[in-house]
Amino acid sequence: GYQFQNDLTACQIPGQAGGEGVPADKSLPPAQSFLEWQGSGLALTGFKRKEDGSDILVRFVNVTEKPVLLQLQKSFWMQAAYRSDILEREKEALTGNKQNQYEVQIAPFEIATFGIRIRRA
C-alpha cells in the first residue's frame, strides 16, 4: 500500500444544500468532515460506494504491532454501520457508545473493512 500512494485532488464546486442522504434543511459546512474517525496507527486506505450503490465502504489498516481502537463518529447521514469483508458482504453490526461513536478494536496489521448504511430522507 505504501508504494502506490497518490496525492488527493481537490476542486471547487458551487455550494449546494442537501444532497443524497442529507435532509433538505441540513447542509455540510466546509469546516465539517464527511467522515470523522480517530485511531493512532490506523491508515484509511479505502473509501468508496458499495458495488450495488447502496452503502459507503471504508477500509483501515493497522500499521502497528499493537491493537488499536478505531473510533468512528456517528453522523446524521448514517443509519447504521457494520463490519464487512473484502467481497463487500455484510457481517456483524457495530453498536454505538455514549459519545455517539462506533468503537472497534483493530488487531495488529489487520485490514478492516466497514460498511455504513446511508439514512434516506
Side-chain angles (χ1 to χ4, degrees):
Y2 288 116
Q3 294 176 355
F4 299 105
Q5 296 294 315
N6 294 313
D7 293 332
L8 293 176
T9 302
C11 62
Q12 183 83 24
I13 62 169
Q16 300 174 2
E20 185 177 351
V22 180
D25 63 335
K26 294 220 178 211
S27 61
L28 297 175
Q32 186 176 2
S33 175
F34 184 73
L35 182 70
E36 295 182 51
W37 63 276
Q38 295 178 19
S40 181
L42 294 178
L44 177 65
T45 61
F47 187 94
K48 68 178 262 315
R49 271 275 202 193
K50 198 171 176 179
E51 286 298 319
D52 67 10
S54 62
D55 298 342
I56 300 286
L57 293 174
V58 292
R59 183 167 295 128
F60 296 91
V61 175
N62 180 352
V63 297
T64 71
E65 297 177 341
K66 298 179 180 179
V68 173
L69 181 66
L70 167 64
Q71 296 173 310
L72 184 63
Q73 184 65 45
K74 287 186 184 180
S75 185
F76 67 89
W77 62 270
M78 297 177 181
Q79 179 181 348
Y82 56 89
R83 267 200 187 259
S84 179
D85 63 15
I86 195 80
L87 298 176
E88 302 183 358
R89 295 179 296 209
E90 187 172 335
K91 301 297 180 184
E92 68 269 9
L94 303 183
T95 56
N97 65 18
K98 292 179 182 178
Q99 289 77 35
N100 207 28
Q101 297 173 330
Y102 297 110
E103 291 186 334
V104 182
Q105 195 75 245
I106 310 295
F109 305 109
E110 179 183 2
I111 299 170
T113 304
F114 301 94
I116 303 170
R117 194 161 296 111
I118 298 171
R119 184 179 306 282
R120 302 292 177 196

